[in-house]
Amino acid sequence: MTADSARSDQGSAPPPPTATGKGPGRAANGHRAWFLVLPALIPILLLSVGPLLYGIALAFTDAQAGRTDPTQWIGLLNFQDLLRDTLFWESFRIGLVWAVAVSVPQFLLALGLALLLNQNLRFRWLSRALAIVPWAMPEVVVGIMWRLVYHPDAGLLNETLGTHRDWLGSLSTALPAVVVVGIWARLPQVTVTLLAGLSNVPRELHEAAAMDGAGAWRRFRTVTWPAIRPIALAISALSFIWNVNSFALVYVLTGGGPGGRTRLPMLFAYEEAFRYGQFGYAAAMGCVLVAVVSILLAVHLVARLKGDDDT
Amino acid sequence: MSTRLTARRRRMGTRTARRRAARTGQYLALLGYLVFLAFPLLWLVSTAFKPPRELASLHPGWIPDHPTLDNFRQAFDEQPLLRSAGNSLIASLAAAAITVVIATPMAYVMARHHRSPLSRAATGWIVVSQAFPFVLVIIPLFLVLKEVRLIDSLSGLIMVYVVWSLPFALWMLAGYARAVPRELEEAAAVDGASRARTLISVTMPLLAPGIVATALFAFITAWNEFFFALVLLKSPQKQTMPVILTHFIGAEGVADLGPLAAASLLATLPSLVLFALIQRRITSGTLAGAVKH
């Protein structure tokens, strides 16, 4: 709410005469604005919005790879099949478990780290510098790196623990092992975002609260959290979505194995589409994912607006 | 008097003790964080320089006893690394250049007319695009690109990369454009400069650092990208570096660890260097900025 009102304040500043002033100049400017927008708008419509709509349409067809007879409209048949596809629901369940198991600890860790890195500690520069490395790495390399760590023979983890486990290959440890990598991979994005949010926290307010004898937890709840709340909600929603849509990391780490234990929905849909050529069916999976993510996002946004009304 | 003083001193004593304990806790937490972050990285580096005999030994140490560059040589022998790096470079450079060229004007309009329906729609689209499951976009894109024979071609991939990095580029650039003071543009207009002239000689120079940062970010995004490249590029001589890296891991998951680590390090270097250059701009100017405004 505060962000929005700040925005409209900015917008209601007296417009420069040449840019948005009333009269003929404004109309001409409007035309120019369209001209400036077209180079980006056309590719967006052609390669993003278009394919998205086409993708939704595909979900209602029997489109397949290498098909000779024409693709047919089959209504809800794909979705009916999906309902009965236990493998899909299993992967859907794994996807949700994965997204929650990664996002929640990731957020809490990142929040702790951001508070820590906001303090005047030694080695803070080193931590900040290191913190962004995972962000810069290709996901494929992150996956490869952790394969080396989890390696049954030459792995760092077994070497440290003195064990000989196949962490990624056994049914019980595969998903937790992959979750740890998921947390590691995006920790910097969340941490750095929250750290930027902390720069919003009014220092005087913090000091005043400390003078009044408020403890650390109280200061956090009454001063810090309200200030970083919008950013915290935005980044937690984003990271959840990123995790639901994860592909490369798990593809490299386990390929979805063992026994489908780490087969996230994206891996499932990828295989369905590009290994078995079931384009229509895979598109239906995509639709279900979009629907679920949208619902979760809507709930999140409603919670956000509600919270803003309270304050 | 004296008792009150000692009581006070004692109270202060417990407070400093508590503060010291808190400090220790903080440093321990920081240490744990550094270990969690750094150990996998160090292990990757260490593996890349280990000779095969040490990799096969039961207790591979942290520091290779006989560090070697053989893994790097072998990596180049096993897979077309150089060509894939070239492909990645072409795709990333082209994607970054095209992205900023088409995004800058629109971002400027979004920043200056941010209450127009167009800007609102664009902002909405940017948010929504973050939630796209890639499958839903890649299947139709695959079919369309196949129809126009752009499958297995870098041009097709570049087109996809441009559209893929556009939302974030617009987001970043609009933030930078908002930071360019209107007053300067107005002053130029008052001095009689035409609108185009004002844009070119006043706005653009001020926007330049933001454009460079955005271009570098788009470059890194494309350089690191895997999913689209995996789906769209089939022949090994066309594939980009992340896809080639997965070829080191065989079908059964067996891999030559040394060359795998070496090639992975090489693939990371460019984005790491660029990221270090623009780190501060990215961390301060992106999401937080967007939420703040």
Side-chain angles (χ1 to χ4, degrees):
Chain A
M1 233 28 205
T2 46
D4 273 350
S5 52
R7 179 194 287 182
S8 45
D9 285 351
Q10 202 185 341
S12 60
T18 46
T20 49
K22 294 211 163 61
R26 182 179 192 166
N29 188 57
H31 281 296
R32 202 166 291 154
W34 273 103
F35 168 73
L36 289 172
V37 159
L38 282 182
L41 200 61
I42 291 171
I44 287 172
L45 291 177
L46 279 182
L47 288 161
S48 182
V49 178
L52 189 69
L53 298 177
Y54 185 10
I56 295 171
L58 274 174
F60 300 91
T61 70
D62 59 355
Q64 279 175 17
R67 207 182 147 97
T68 44
D69 41 334
T71 299
Q72 285 191 353
W73 199 260
I74 55 166
L76 291 172
L77 209 60
N78 282 327
F79 292 92
Q80 285 170 6
D81 286 346
L82 261 186
L83 270 179
R84 268 178 268 130
D85 189 339
T86 48
L87 279 180
F88 173 71
W89 290 111
E90 175 60 10
S91 115
F92 191 81
R93 189 188 66 81
I94 292 171
L96 278 186
V97 169
W98 148 269
V100 172
V102 173
S103 308
V104 174
Q106 190 169 58
F107 179 80
L108 294 176
L109 269 177
L111 184 60
L113 285 171
L115 291 171
L116 203 60
L117 294 180
N118 203 36
Q119 306 270 327
N120 235 336
L121 295 178
R122 256 176 252 180
F123 306 114
R124 190 172 69 157
W125 65 271
L126 178 67
S127 321
R128 282 188 179 215
L130 255 178
I132 60 146
V133 174
W135 193 345
M137 290 173 80
E139 269 188 291
V140 168
V141 173
V142 174
I144 288 171
M145 185 181 73
W146 279 89
R147 277 185 78 121
L148 298 176
V149 170
Y150 286 135
H151 198 276
D153 305 321
L156 167 65
L157 194 63
N158 280 332
E159 181 63 19
T160 314
L161 298 177
T163 51
H164 269 283
R165 289 191 85 114
D166 187 1
W167 298 93
L168 293 169
S170 77
L171 293 176
S172 56
T173 54
L175 189 57
V178 172
V179 162
V180 170
V181 184
I183 295 172
W184 190 91
R186 282 209 217 278
L187 196 56
Q189 273 102 317
V190 185
T191 307
V192 160
T193 307
L194 291 173
L195 202 52
L198 285 176
S199 65
N200 283 349
V201 179
R203 193 164 281 275
E204 313 80 56
L205 217 58
H206 225 276
E207 280 159 9
M211 293 275 258
D212 289 346
W217 167 243
R218 221 189 135 85
R219 284 201 306 267
F220 172 78
R221 237 193 38 201
T222 54
V223 180
T224 311
W225 180 248
I228 62 169
R229 192 166 178 276
I231 285 183
L233 286 170
I235 190 64
S236 57
L238 259 185
S239 85
F240 186 82
I241 291 166
W242 287 334
N243 288 323
V244 169
N245 289 334
S246 284
F247 179 82
L249 213 56
V250 178
Y251 179 88
V252 173
L253 277 167
T254 63
R261 249 349 124 86
T262 59
R263 195 197 278 140
L264 303 181
M266 276 287 291
L267 275 94
F268 196 89
Y270 165 79
E271 280 177 6
E272 208 58 48
F274 298 104
R275 191 164 295 165
Y276 307 117
Q278 300 291 340
F279 291 133
Y281 196 51
M285 289 181 191
C287 284
V288 172
L289 280 179
V290 173
V292 171
V293 169
S294 315
I295 291 168
L296 290 171
L297 205 64
V299 170
H300 196 84
L301 285 176
V302 166
R304 173 179 177 176
L305 292 176
K306 232 188 208 163
D308 280 346
D309 285 345
D310 292 345
T311 46
Chain B
M1 180 78 180
S2 66
T3 48
R4 213 191 291 164
L5 246 181
T6 46
R8 192 167 155 213
R9 202 169 287 155
R10 201 177 303 140
R11 202 161 353 116
M12 281 180 68
T14 50
R15 196 179 285 170
T16 43
R18 203 183 299 155
R19 197 174 297 160
R20 203 171 291 154
R23 266 283 130 111
T24 314
Q26 285 176 342
Y27 276 113
L28 280 177
L30 199 62
L31 184 72
Y33 169 53
L34 288 178
V35 166
F36 182 52
L37 265 180
F39 272 33
L41 292 167
L42 293 174
W43 193 250
L44 178 70
V45 177
S46 151
T47 307
F49 291 99
K50 266 179 206 159
R53 188 183 304 169
E54 280 180 56
L55 280 171
S57 83
L58 278 178
H59 293 290
W62 271 103
I63 298 168
D65 294 328
H66 306 283
T68 169
L69 290 175
D70 280 355
N71 289 327
F72 291 88
R73 200 172 309 139
Q74 204 183 325
F76 280 98
D77 288 344
E78 276 179 27
Q79 296 292 339
L81 269 192
L82 213 54
R83 195 166 42 202
S84 71
N87 292 340
S88 279
L89 191 68
I90 293 169
S92 312
L93 276 178
I98 299 172
T99 301
V100 291
V101 165
I102 66 176
T104 307
M106 179 159 171
Y108 180 76
V109 172
M110 284 171 65
R112 284 290 178 265
H113 306 267
H114 57 85
R115 285 196 297 172
S116 72
L118 183 95
S119 296
R120 281 169 189 262
T123 313
W125 171 77
I126 289 169
V127 173
V128 169
S129 69
Q130 293 295 314
F132 284 179
F134 305 140
V135 247
L136 205 52
V137 184
I138 193 65
I139 297 171
L141 271 176
F142 178 84
L143 293 174
V144 170
L145 290 176
K146 199 171 166 186
E147 208 58 48
V148 294
R149 295 177 185 280
L150 280 175
I151 286 290
D152 207 18
S153 94
L154 283 180
S155 324
L157 188 69
I158 290 166
M159 284 163 63
V160 174
Y161 281 175
V162 167
V163 179
W164 188 52
S165 47
L166 257 176
F168 213 72
L170 285 171
W171 197 266
M172 276 177 83
L173 282 169
Y176 287 116
R178 262 197 305 267
V180 173
R182 264 168 206 251
E183 292 75 27
L184 288 179
E185 291 175 1
E186 288 160 33
V190 168
D191 287 348
S194 70
R195 184 107 175 105
R197 175 82 212 208
T198 311
L199 273 179
I200 289 167
S201 50
V202 177
T203 315
M204 285 305 277
L206 290 169
L207 211 51
I211 292 177
V212 171
T214 310
L216 290 180
F217 196 73
F219 180 94
I220 296 169
T221 312
W223 179 273
N224 290 352
E225 204 283 331
F226 175 66
F227 182 61
F228 294 132
L230 176 73
V231 171
L232 296 179
L233 304 172
K234 286 294 158 233
S235 44
Q237 60 270 32
K238 295 274 176 60
Q239 283 169 340
T240 55
M241 219 158 168
V243 183
I244 288 294
L245 283 182
T246 62
H247 291 339
F248 280 98
I249 309 166
E252 279 81 41
V254 204
D256 247 342
L257 298 183
L260 178 68
S264 300
L265 269 189
L266 291 179
T268 310
L269 276 181
S271 36
L272 206 59
V273 171
L274 295 183
F275 209 95
L277 286 178
I278 54 167
Q279 182 249 121
R280 196 151 297 167
R281 289 184 162 277
I282 283 184
T283 52
S284 63
T286 54
L287 187 71
V291 174
K292 259 189 255 175
H293 286 289

